[in-house]
Amino acid sequence: MAEYKNPGIDDVLAEARTYIHSPESLALIEQAANYASEHHAGQFRRSGEPYVIHLINVAYILATLKVGPATIAAGFLHDVIEDCGISHDELAADFNTEIADLVEAVTKIGTLEYKGKDDPEYQAANHRKIFIAMARDVRVILIKLVDRLHNMRTLQYQPEKSQKRIAAETLDIYAPIAHRLGISAIKNELEDLSFYYLNREEYYRIAKLVETKKAERDEAVNSMIRDISAMLEENHIRFRIFGRSKHLYSIYRKMTTKHKRFDEILDLLAIRIVTQSELNCYETLGYIHAKYRPIPGRLKDYIAVPKTNMYQSLHTTIIGDGGKIFEVQIRTEEMDAIAERGVAAHWRYKEGTKYDAKAEQKEIEDKLGWFKNFALYSEDESENTSASEYMETLQRDVFEANVYVMTPKGRVIDLPNGATPIDFAYRIHTEVGHTAVGAIVNDAMVPLNTELHTGDVVQIKTLKGTGPSEDWLKIVKTNQARNKIRNFLLKKESEKRAEKIEEGEKILSDELRRRGFDPKEYMEKKKLENIYREFRVSNYTDLMYGIAVRSIHPTAVCEKLTNHKSRMNEDEALTRVLNREAPKRISKSGLIIPGIESMKMSIAHCCLPVYNEPIVGYITKTEGVKVHRADCPNIVRLKSRKIDVYWDDPDDERLYDSDLIVIAHDRNFLLTDIVTAVSQSRAPMETIHASVDHETLTTTVKMTIRIHNIEQLNTVIANVRKVESVHTVERSSNG
Ligand code: MN
């Protein structure tokens, strides 16, 4: 592990003076340094060092990133609210509100940390805080990143358990943020430090591999540098050239994810050339390709198409003397600064211009396409999604994005691997997603489930009045698209329900009118309330819905309603007594056809309808009436032999079989989680069967559960849909 030397306050000021000259700004930094020393006096870190050493380090690293004076000052002060009991207002009075706000935001992120709760929701809530703060003001995350960097550099003083947890969090959350903001200098260091604490054996193994033959590699790189330098000087190009080494974690990642041996990694011999202009970059590339044979398919022009974290450079891989393979990166000074310091370089502090945090934030959102999405999620979904859902969305849609496609106007959109035009459409705009009917990729019309690749130019065909279908949930890769589609479908479902309720109202009022009663009088809320219990519903809408889907007889409702109202005459009383004397019959099948007593009825096996959903009967030649779901494809296309059937009064004990098909991404404990979700809905499980497609890592789970009614079934489906990595849950129908 590297040794770090602690800087002093003078070093921070010296570093700041390289780009900050205003006496007031320098005084502000010095004042913050003294304030921190005074207030943290007597506090010590686990290492035994005075606490202020940590603050000087944080401020120093911030200064090397060339941030503004307020951010450096906030670096010195970032722990005074938490550790010295100083309030936001005191800080605002002693300095200014800008600094007080920054310190407060950093403190708010920090207060959930180091408590070591194992609850994943708790962790996620903590991470969400980080992201929301970052979406509001990117300077907060810069301070937080640097704070974490120094804490990682001094992690050896923590107990082993904390080391592992902090390192894991750093690798999962902070390194990707640094990467996304283009601050590769910090990202690489965070990754290597985390790697060391998480997997020391592998860390040392890779370090040893790098060490062997290092002299040989250095010699090859140096001789190549001499040759290229001579060539570029001949051609009057001004440049800097140097060899660079990959950091250990990136070698480890290549070896594990791409299954490469150490000596198969092509960019171990790497050279960087920094020139004066974009034109020089292309010229340099031309000279190099003229002299050395390039490996086909390895030339990448990130100058013309920058990465979404603003990274720009030309990459090529060439074969040098003795068949040695070199990776060459060519870029301008400006591009090099952005490659190392990302956001911090692009928005580096410029003296003399008034700093406007809001304007900068907006500019970052414009420049960093992903940041805008991310800021949107953070606003949008912070209230109505759980912290773990939010984290999953970020993880999938922002951090794992690695397909870069373009709009016809050249805007780069980043998507996760395997994303489709539907994901793209929802990224452009919700409405574009909802009304997408086709896609044109690189001038050819393609189906909406086509997998997109980096460099594709994508255009979406829309048609007003259309909407997403349930099938789309199987196709999309981003959580953003998935959530939008689900919300759309839910809304449509509730509209459908509203229609059914109206239909129920109409059936009931027609029935009343037919019997000579005035619906207005009998369908009063008060009167209806009296009969809810009789029909086992708890409200108006359930009653009307029941009438519409025929689980409740309009006739029976009419009778109850009118009996409640009118005094019985003798005839009626007699009828009632007679009726009551007959024992309440619950039909064997749980189904009835009004007016027909002795018809054999049974549930159709193709669609397995359950109590309280719309049904229809089909009169078979030999097996009596088969009852199907009203939308069963087997019955929808038939014209004759259909008959209205009703659910009988519920027999609370009766259970109906229902077959479900779950499609999910394969992972450990998937089946356990599904079984748990089902049993939490109190539905006994009859059978469960899973098969995995090893190519797509998709698991198909078929199960038969036993349930009481459609409401319970919908709950089961909703619960299973919430299980992690589940794409779709559907009732099977063997049409
Ligand atoms: Mn700190």
Side-chain angles (χ1 to χ4, degrees):
M1 296 259 44
E3 288 283 322
Y4 300 99
K5 238 183 83 205
N6 285 324
I9 292 175
D10 285 349
D11 297 312
V12 181
L13 287 164
E15 191 62 39
R17 274 193 209 102
T18 62
Y19 66 102
I20 297 174
H21 308 288
S22 124
E24 296 83 44
S25 298
L26 292 165
L28 181 81
I29 296 170
E30 210 173 342
Q31 186 200 344
N34 295 332
Y35 194 92
S37 312
E38 262 169 50
H39 285 88
H40 288 281
Q43 294 175 6
F44 295 90
R45 305 194 88 212
R46 272 175 186 271
S47 61
E49 289 171 335
Y51 196 84
V52 74
I53 299 278
H54 167 63
L55 307 165
I56 298 170
N57 269 286
V58 169
Y60 180 77
I61 302 168
L62 284 168
T64 63
L65 291 173
K66 301 198 177 359
V67 301
T71 316
I72 300 179
F76 273 119
L77 300 170
H78 79 266
D79 283 326
V80 290
I81 291 184
E82 197 183 354
D83 295 339
C84 310
I86 288 169
S87 72
H88 169 274
D89 292 352
E90 284 172 83
L91 209 49
D94 292 340
F95 291 88
N96 55 47
T97 19
E98 186 186 10
I99 289 176
D101 287 350
L102 282 172
V103 173
E104 189 181 53
V106 175
T107 308
K108 274 191 180 156
I109 294 173
T111 45
L112 267 178
E113 271 175 306
Y114 296 109
K115 290 186 184 166
K117 282 227 179 164
D118 285 332
D119 177 6
E121 189 68 20
Y122 183 90
Q123 282 285 332
N126 186 11
H127 295 152
R128 173 155 68 170
K129 275 189 154 190
I130 299 172
F131 292 116
I132 290 172
M134 163 161 128
R136 290 202 187 115
D137 188 338
V138 78
R139 293 177 297 170
V140 172
I141 202 61
L142 278 180
I143 298 169
K144 196 66 205 168
L145 272 177
V146 169
D147 178 38
R148 175 56 61 110
L149 178 60
H150 186 247
N151 286 334
M152 285 299 295
R153 284 181 181 177
T154 51
L155 201 60
Q156 74 261 37
Y157 302 107
Q158 294 284 336
E160 200 185 315
K161 218 183 140 204
S162 315
Q163 286 178 348
K164 288 241 190 289
R165 184 175 49 74
I166 294 165
E169 188 183 57
T170 302
L171 201 56
D172 286 349
I173 304 291
Y174 289 93
I177 293 174
H179 172 58
R180 281 285 158 169
L181 293 173
I183 314 171
S184 62
I186 291 185
K187 184 208 93 174
N188 293 349
E189 194 179 339
L190 286 176
E191 282 184 347
D192 273 1
L193 285 164
S194 306
F195 182 30
Y196 174 80
Y197 286 103
L198 288 171
N199 196 341
R200 210 160 298 188
E201 244 170 65
E202 282 294 290
Y203 179 92
Y204 282 125
R205 188 173 75 92
I206 308 267
K208 220 171 135 193
L209 282 170
V210 170
E211 212 39 57
T212 50
K213 297 194 184 169
K214 184 172 185 302
E216 205 178 298
R217 277 200 309 276
D218 283 352
E219 174 46 37
V221 166
N222 287 335
S223 118
M224 188 62 149
I225 284 178
R226 279 192 300 272
D227 290 355
I228 293 179
S229 299
M231 178 179 74
L232 293 179
E233 271 158 22
E234 234 171 76
N235 289 290
H236 309 288
I237 286 179
R238 285 174 62 200
F239 63 94
R240 288 194 290 132
I241 187 167
F242 46 95
R244 55 177 196 97
S245 50
K246 277 188 102 51
H247 69 294
L248 298 181
Y249 184 69
S250 75
I251 296 173
Y252 171 72
R253 201 168 35 204
K254 274 207 172 159
M255 290 172 74
T256 48
T257 62
K258 299 200 171 155
H259 306 289
K260 295 237 160 124
R261 288 197 320 272
F262 181 71
D263 52 16
E264 287 176 314
I265 297 176
L266 287 184
D267 45 5
L268 283 173
L269 297 176
I271 286 169
R272 184 176 302 157
I273 303 168
V274 181
T275 71
Q276 301 291 308
S277 71
E278 218 172 85
L279 184 63
N280 282 169
C281 292
Y282 288 104
E283 282 172 341
T284 302
L285 179 75
Y287 292 130
I288 288 174
H289 278 185
K291 181 161 183 189
Y292 303 97
R293 195 151 64 82
I295 293 181
R298 297 274 304 182
L299 171 65
K300 302 219 174 77
D301 184 353
Y302 295 118
I303 293 181
V305 183
K307 290 191 184 182
T308 47
N309 62 7
M310 302 186 301
Y311 177 89
Q312 286 187 294
S313 195
L314 297 174
H315 290 188
T316 186
T317 306
I318 53 170
I319 303 173
D321 293 337
K324 288 203 168 65
I325 292 170
F326 292 83
E327 194 201 55
V328 183
Q329 300 179 338
I330 309 165
R331 51 175 82 148
T332 65
E333 291 287 354
E334 177 75 19
M335 292 171 193
D336 194 48
I338 287 178
E340 291 294 317
R341 294 186 278 117
V343 163
H346 199 274
W347 284 278
R348 70 175 173 277
Y349 180 69
K350 295 169 199 92
E351 268 200 314
T353 47
K354 201 176 169 325
Y355 180 81
D356 180 346
K358 276 220 174 101
E360 180 183 272
Q361 198 70 10
K362 208 196 154 287
E363 210 186 313
I364 291 176
E365 284 176 19
D366 287 346
K367 200 86 182 175
L368 287 171
W370 68 271
F371 199 89
K372 189 170 191 173
N373 294 328
F374 161 81
L376 270 174
Y377 292 147
S378 305
E379 263 169 44
D380 240 36
E381 316 212 347
S382 54
E383 268 142 46
N384 43 30
T385 53
S386 76
S388 50
E389 274 173 301
Y390 169 86
M391 280 309 297
E392 198 195 319
T393 302
L394 274 196
Q395 199 71 33
R396 206 179 287 187
D397 297 3
V398 180
F399 292 159
E400 285 173 15
N402 31 92
V403 174
Y404 304 105
V405 299
M406 273 182 289
T407 67
K409 284 184 182 164
R411 194 176 130 211
V412 178
I413 305 281
D414 54 343
L415 292 166
N417 277 327
T420 64
I422 301 177
D423 295 295
F424 175 88
Y426 277 102
R427 208 31 98 61
I428 300 295
H429 194 276
T430 307
E431 228 15 70
V432 175
H434 284 344
T435 56
V437 288
I440 296 170
V441 174
N442 306 328
D443 296 328
M445 192 82 185
V446 299
L448 285 173
N449 63 357
T450 307
E451 192 176 310
L452 296 175
H453 299 283
T454 293
D456 284 348
V457 177
V458 188
Q459 200 181 346
I460 298 294
K461 290 270 151 216
T462 60
L463 184 66
K464 275 227 161 68
T466 55
S469 76
E470 186 104 24
D471 295 339
W472 287 15
L473 292 170
K474 288 180 219 158
I475 300 168
V476 296
K477 274 286 176 315
T478 56
N479 266 10
Q480 183 204 21
R482 195 184 317 281
N483 291 339
K484 299 252 148 113
I485 296 167
R486 252 185 218 159
N487 287 343
F488 182 94
L489 294 173
L490 280 175
K491 210 175 133 215
K492 212 170 99 191
E493 191 60 37
S494 76
E495 280 166 11
K496 250 187 172 163
R497 193 173 156 83
E499 270 172 34
K500 285 272 174 235
I501 290 163
E502 259 179 50
E503 199 182 314
E505 285 169 341
K506 192 173 173 304
I507 293 172
L508 182 59
S509 58
D510 286 353
E511 187 67 29
L512 283 163
R513 226 173 274 125
R514 206 167 59 79
R515 289 157 177 262
F517 297 104
D518 178 6
K520 266 204 191 116
E521 188 184 332
Y522 286 90
M523 283 170 71
E524 253 181 19
K525 220 178 156 221
K526 271 258 164 61
K527 294 204 173 81
L528 288 167
E529 268 168 13
N530 288 329
I531 65 165
Y532 288 164
R533 276 192 61 153
E534 308 237 20
F535 294 96
R536 300 177 202 229
V537 293
S538 54
N539 57 47
Y540 178 83
T541 54
D542 285 353
L543 179 70
M544 294 307 158
Y545 186 84
I547 293 172
V549 303
R550 313 185 160 186
S551 62
I552 295 171
H553 301 260
T555 337
V557 177
C558 272
E559 275 169 12
K560 291 283 192 257
L561 277 175
T562 49
N563 279 350
H564 272 274
K565 161 70 171 60
S566 62
R567 285 188 162 220
M568 287 177 280
N569 59 34
E570 257 176 60
D571 275 358
E572 277 173 330
L574 192 64
T575 323
R576 279 197 59 168
V577 170
L578 284 173
N579 278 348
R580 200 174 284 161
E581 272 170 1
K584 173 107 181 81
R585 176 194 56 86
I586 292 174
S587 52
K588 220 170 125 204
S589 61
L591 296 151
I592 49 171
I593 301 171
I596 299 177
E597 287 276 320
S598 58
M599 180 69 93
K600 190 180 159 205
M601 284 198 279
S602 57
I603 298 266
H605 286 289
C606 59
C607 56
L608 293 174
V610 302
Y611 182 75
N612 233 359
E613 73 178 322
I615 45 173
V616 64
Y618 177 73
I619 306 162
T620 66
K621 291 204 169 108
T622 52
E623 290 177 275
V625 174
K626 284 277 182 202
V627 176
H628 294 258
R629 271 146 60 182
D631 60 358
C632 173
N634 289 342
I635 205 81
V636 169
R637 59 170 189 258
L638 299 176
K639 293 229 161 63
S640 59
R641 303 176 76 95
K642 289 205 254 191
I643 185 168
D644 282 352
V645 292
Y646 294 88
W647 294 107
D648 200 359
D649 278 345
D651 165 3
D652 285 344
E653 301 296 304
R654 194 190 293 276
L655 286 166
Y656 297 82
D657 281 350
S658 187
D659 288 346
L660 295 180
I661 296 181
V662 181
I663 313 273
H665 186 74
D666 190 39
R667 63 170 175 88
N668 289 336
F669 304 114
L670 175 68
L671 280 192
T672 318
D673 290 350
I674 291 176
V675 172
T676 310
V678 172
S679 63
Q680 274 165 357
S681 325
R682 300 216 180 73
M685 188 174 275
E686 287 276 292
T687 63
I688 182 160
H689 175 79
S691 57
V692 183
D693 178 338
H694 289 287
E695 215 156 90
T696 59
L697 280 183
T698 306
T699 306
T700 306
V701 180
K702 292 184 181 167
M703 57 187 171
T704 304
I705 56 170
R706 312 210 70 204
I707 39 129
H708 290 288
N709 53 44
I710 185 71
E711 288 80 17
Q712 192 193 7
L713 179 60
N714 287 337
T715 312
V716 174
I717 291 174
N719 286 345
V720 177
R721 273 195 188 134
K722 281 186 212 147
V723 171
E724 189 194 323
S725 93
V726 164
H727 299 313
T728 55
V729 182
E730 274 177 4
R731 296 174 69 182
S732 72
S733 83
N734 316 315

